[in-house]
Amino acid sequence: MLRAVLLVCLACAVLSGQPGWWMNEPIRWVQTNLRETDAAMDTARLATQLAEMRANVVLMGMGGICAYYPTKTEFHYPSAYLPAGKDMFGDILREAHARHIRVVGRYDFSKTQKAVYDAHPEWFFKKADGSPVIYNGLYSTCINGGYYRSQVMKILSEGLEKYDVDGLFFNMFGNQATDYSGNYVGLCHCDACRKKYAEEYHREIPDKSDEIYREFLQQSAREVSQAIGRLIGEKRERAGYFNYMQEFTDGIMSESNTAVNRPLPLWPYATSDNVNRARNSQPDKMAVDLNMQFVDYAWRFATVPPAEIARRMWQALAHGGALTFEVNGTLDLHDRQAYETARPIFQWAAAHEREYLGLHSEARVLLLTKAGRNSAEDASYRGLFRLLSEEHIPFAVSNNLEWMGAHPYDLVIASDWAPSQLRRYVEQGGRLLLVSSKPPEFEAARVVGTQAEVKGYVRVRDHGAFPSLKSTDLLMLNGAFTQFEVEGAAPLTLVPPSMIGPPEKIHVDMKDTDTPAVWSSAIGRGRMTWLPWNLGAMYYRLSLPAHAGLFRDLVSAMMPKRQVVTNAHPLVEMTLMEREGESQVHLINLSGHSQTASFAPIPMQGIEVSVEGVFRRARTVRSAGELKVSVVDGYTRFTVPRLADYELVVLGR
């Protein structure tokens, strides 16, 4: 079934024409979030800096809130700082193309000037009290109003006809419920929204966003996104189309960023998470995860730690995504730490760009997630993501079941989402590990019920089944637990809550039960194991070794032969990739991450790696050299002598 899906996907790609430059060329992408004052910049200087850095794509301000060229379209205004007779965007396009740098123009149509509002108030976001949304003198437009639906197309037509751009990117696509300062502005109640919502859902717009309203807003954005994509295809058929939506676009855009009030712990796998999921959810699109240099909106000229910038870059490369770097303004920065970190990595990637062309994951484990996870689901997913990374189990992430066939997987691990389609996968010989209190969307174990909050334990009944837990009898259980019926004794059972104090009373009333805390059964030609409690979320929060041991043993039972065996430290992130018949092992040293800080990683020595398969040679690329290889029991063994921040090992047959 999975290979059949792949053939269908490939057929679709053929029908739609050959992949664009964003899939066929190495991508070293610099984003410049220009201010209106940058309209008078020295374009030759910026192009020279980009060329020296070895960037080959630059994302530049083009129009929308303000135009960086002398626009003649009504209700579109050039920057007040654009010198008379100057065409900044045209100049940078010429300068960049002369240096073989592609240019992606940036538009933001979410806001515009008061003169447009005065002429057409019906085009704009209207709060529940009828007032407009104004931020720094700009008026917020509505995705369903005439500005997005009509005027935007006129503005874009002018830009596309005038400039041979290599692509367009759109920021802030759709109606935002909060402004840049975090103030809640609510839902749009303009006439266009009210009419459209009533026609589609036969009700009035709610006071607060709910699932139905989010669906409405998403569909509205899809409609405009599709229309823009069609226009770009008509005017510039070779130009790429990028925004933060997945439909109708040529790339999956995301961000690795920080914010001062973001909940802890910080997520050191941000770029790996974004790029892995994008490349394996929609393999026909390039993952462009923007490496944001600044700390937060209020401090756009304050730079995050250089080691964090570098880590994101290595993660993007290791998962087959675009190498990116983002700045506010030009490259003449107030704080140059991030730029000085990014520049040599860009230069190194350019010198070795062949190694990164056409990369795709060789992982035979799939971590299944879903789009729009809530916070609880996100914690579960991140816990499993960490466990797989720390165990050095190569894995692909996907939220798109239609693309599961892009690779034959030995094991699917489901985090809080086991859709009905997975049953067929298991019946045809697949293996599924569900780690969640949420029952699967197909018949498996007979569910009795779910307890929302259990502060108890899980008893290890069969230590032979869990060799990593030989010194552990009880595992912490905190959260929802689903009870089901099984025949026979279970290797893990529930220990319900008991007294927790005072010390003289701790657990003196503890009672064991026969309630199973794991279920495993054959389904058709395959097998499914279900852990009906949230091990992933607990590991994300607490990092208990007992939970890691249980996960390790469950995976080993379902996938006894690993693709990679290594003595590497858990904080060495490893990916297994393939290109043109060669396999690649990427190693990223995460040892510099500590709480809210990113320091230079601690160098590691003598990392032994065994990769399933027979390879005759191995070479390191970051520290160029040949490695001695040996083949034992179907595995190719080699030793990476030293790992500083990143290493790439290429294996040839």
Side-chain angles (χ1 to χ4, degrees):
M1 179 189 72
L2 297 180
R3 292 186 183 276
V5 175
L6 175 58
L7 292 175
V8 171
C9 295
L10 290 175
C12 292
V14 171
L15 289 174
S16 62
Q18 294 298 316
W21 59 264
W22 48 91
M23 298 298 295
N24 294 328
E25 300 175 8
I27 303 297
R28 297 183 296 278
W29 175 302
V30 171
Q31 173 178 347
T32 58
N33 275 349
L34 297 183
R35 301 166 297 161
E36 59 183 359
T37 53
D38 294 320
M41 76 162 71
D42 182 342
T43 54
R45 173 172 171 76
L46 176 60
T48 299
Q49 290 172 313
L50 291 167
E52 188 272 337
M53 186 179 182
R54 298 298 306 277
N56 60 6
V57 180
V58 62
L59 173 61
M60 291 288 296
M62 188 172 178
I65 290 176
C66 71
Y68 293 92
Y69 59 91
T71 177
K72 296 180 180 179
T73 303
E74 186 180 20
F75 302 126
H76 192 214
Y77 305 97
S79 166
Y81 297 87
L82 185 68
K86 183 176 175 64
D87 181 351
M88 188 278 284
F89 187 80
D91 290 346
I92 194 65
L93 189 71
R94 183 185 65 257
E95 297 281 1
H97 280 179
R99 294 165 174 81
H100 307 290
I101 299 170
R102 294 190 179 275
V103 178
V104 176
R106 178 186 182 276
Y107 281 92
D108 188 332
F109 292 117
S110 66
K111 302 167 187 65
T112 190
Q113 298 187 19
K114 183 178 184 297
V116 188
Y117 176 80
D118 290 339
H120 289 281
E122 72 277 9
W123 288 357
F124 288 78
F125 190 117
K126 182 185 291 185
K127 292 191 282 188
D129 63 4
S131 63
V133 176
I134 307 170
Y135 192 85
N136 285 342
L138 297 172
Y139 286 65
S140 292
T141 59
C142 174
I143 194 71
N144 288 312
Y147 186 74
Y148 261 109
R149 301 282 174 153
S150 177
Q151 187 63 29
V152 159
M153 306 305 166
K154 297 176 183 177
I155 295 170
L156 289 177
S157 292
E158 179 192 45
L160 289 165
E161 291 167 4
K162 185 170 179 148
Y163 301 106
D164 185 19
V165 292
D166 299 288
L168 290 183
F169 167 78
F170 298 86
N171 189 54
M172 283 285 183
F173 204 79
N175 295 357
Q176 308 299 317
T178 57
D179 63 22
Y180 277 103
S181 297
N183 300 312
Y184 181 70
V185 299
L187 313 184
C188 181
H189 287 69
C190 75
D191 291 343
C193 278
R194 291 164 64 94
K195 179 181 178 182
K196 192 171 190 290
Y197 195 80
E199 290 175 349
E200 294 180 6
Y201 299 101
H202 308 291
R203 63 181 71 185
E204 293 184 355
I205 292 174
D207 293 330
K208 293 185 178 180
S209 180
D210 56 20
E211 185 175 352
I212 294 175
Y213 182 81
R214 287 190 292 271
E215 177 186 301
F216 163 75
L217 203 57
Q218 187 72 8
Q219 181 56 34
S220 298
R222 285 193 194 100
E223 293 166 2
V224 175
S225 180
Q226 184 177 27
I228 290 175
R230 189 181 299 116
L231 180 66
I232 294 172
E234 292 171 356
K235 300 288 184 181
R236 296 284 176 188
E237 63 179 0
R238 293 184 177 84
Y241 175 30
F242 307 93
N243 64 33
Y244 289 108
M245 298 182 66
Q246 296 190 14
E247 297 91 344
F248 317 115
T249 55
D250 295 309
I252 305 298
M253 305 291 296
S254 55
E255 293 184 9
S256 290
N257 55 30
T258 61
V260 295
N261 293 320
R262 183 157 299 166
L264 300 177
L266 297 182
W267 184 228
Y269 296 99
T271 301
S272 294
D273 186 350
N274 290 337
V275 176
N276 187 330
R277 185 172 65 253
R279 294 294 290 124
N280 294 292
S281 293
Q282 299 203 44
D284 62 333
K285 298 186 178 185
M286 180 48 61
V288 183
D289 184 68
L290 299 175
N291 186 350
M292 311 303 274
Q293 137 276 333
F294 64 94
V295 173
D296 205 341
Y297 285 149
W299 303 276
R300 290 187 187 254
F301 291 155
T303 290
V304 301
E308 185 169 0
I309 294 291
R311 182 180 68 240
R312 294 171 182 171
M313 291 184 169
W314 297 129
Q315 288 178 335
L317 290 173
H319 289 275
L323 181 64
T324 71
F325 179 60
E326 184 276 348
V327 297
N328 290 283
T330 69
L331 291 176
D332 294 315
L333 302 164
H334 294 278
D335 185 338
R336 291 170 292 283
Q337 296 179 82
Y339 172 52
E340 291 167 358
T341 299
R343 182 172 54 196
I345 296 177
F346 266 63
Q347 292 167 340
W348 184 88
H352 301 90
E353 63 181 24
R354 178 184 174 278
E355 310 290 357
Y356 298 96
L357 280 172
L359 279 186
H360 65 266
S361 174
E362 268 197 298
R364 295 204 307 269
V365 172
L366 176 68
L367 177 59
L368 184 65
T369 184
K370 65 179 180 179
R373 299 185 304 263
N374 60 38
S375 58
E377 292 167 338
D378 198 47
S380 176
Y381 163 77
R382 287 186 173 187
L384 297 179
F385 192 108
R386 272 190 55 204
L387 283 163
L388 288 165
S389 294
E390 292 167 10
E391 286 293 318
H392 305 115
I393 299 173
F395 67 102
V397 178
S398 182
N399 58 23
N400 185 353
L401 288 172
E402 295 179 3
W403 282 97
M404 275 185 60
H407 197 70
Y409 295 105
D410 294 337
L411 174 64
V412 173
I413 300 175
S415 160
D416 278 312
W417 184 48
S420 58
Q421 297 94 318
L422 284 179
R423 182 175 179 88
R424 186 180 177 192
Y425 160 75
V426 178
E427 288 175 339
Q428 295 187 350
R431 283 165 282 185
L432 171 64
L433 172 60
L434 173 60
V435 185
S436 176
S437 61
K438 296 180 181 178
E441 297 175 8
F442 54 86
E443 184 178 353
R446 183 178 176 185
V447 174
V448 176
T450 299
Q451 296 173 257
E453 189 69 24
V454 179
K455 296 182 178 179
Y457 295 94
V458 169
R459 169 78 69 184
V460 181
R461 296 281 190 173
D462 182 359
H463 285 84
F466 304 107
S468 298
L469 301 179
K470 62 182 180 180
S471 301
T472 302
D473 297 328
L474 294 176
L475 286 82
M476 176 183 175
L477 172 62
N478 181 31
F481 181 91
T482 293
Q483 184 176 344
F484 41 62
E485 295 179 357
V486 298
E487 296 181 1
L492 298 174
T493 55
L494 173 68
V495 178
S498 54
M499 290 190 289
I500 61 172
E504 293 80 359
K505 291 288 187 179
I506 293 173
H507 296 329
V508 297
D509 61 336
M510 178 182 287
K511 292 182 174 60
D512 280 311
T513 72
D514 294 325
T515 302
V518 67
W519 173 85
S520 187
S521 178
I523 299 179
R525 300 198 308 271
R527 191 164 192 85
M528 174 180 172
T529 295
W530 180 14
L531 200 70
W533 43 284
N534 205 340
L535 178 146
M538 280 189 285
Y539 188 75
Y540 178 62
R541 176 78 176 180
L542 301 170
S543 305
L544 298 186
H547 291 145
L550 174 58
F551 178 81
R552 180 185 311 122
D553 293 340
L554 289 172
V555 171
S556 296
M558 301 194 76
M559 188 182 175
K561 193 171 185 181
R562 290 197 180 187
Q563 286 182 276
V564 174
V565 179
T566 180
N567 69 347
H569 190 279
L571 291 181
V572 175
E573 181 183 359
M574 301 176 71
T575 67
L576 184 62
M577 308 294 285
E578 191 273 340
R579 67 170 300 275
E580 297 183 353
E582 292 183 331
S583 288
Q584 297 183 351
V585 180
H586 300 251
L587 301 92
I588 307 167
N589 190 342
L590 304 185
S591 64
H593 175 75
S594 175
Q595 301 180 76
T596 61
S598 289
F599 303 103
I602 302 169
M604 300 183 185
Q605 316 289 333
I607 299 176
E608 298 172 4
V609 183
S610 294
V611 177
E612 187 181 12
V614 177
F615 300 93
R616 300 303 178 190
R617 60 187 184 277
R619 59 183 174 89
T620 51
V621 180
R622 181 82 166 133
S623 52
E626 296 289 329
L627 302 180
K628 181 180 179 181
V629 300
S630 60
V631 178
V632 180
D633 297 330
Y635 283 84
T636 299
R637 296 181 177 178
F638 57 88
T639 298
V640 178
R642 185 176 187 273
L643 174 64
D645 53 356
Y646 166 80
E647 187 57 88
L648 167 59
V649 180
V650 179
L651 302 172
R653 300 183 188 278

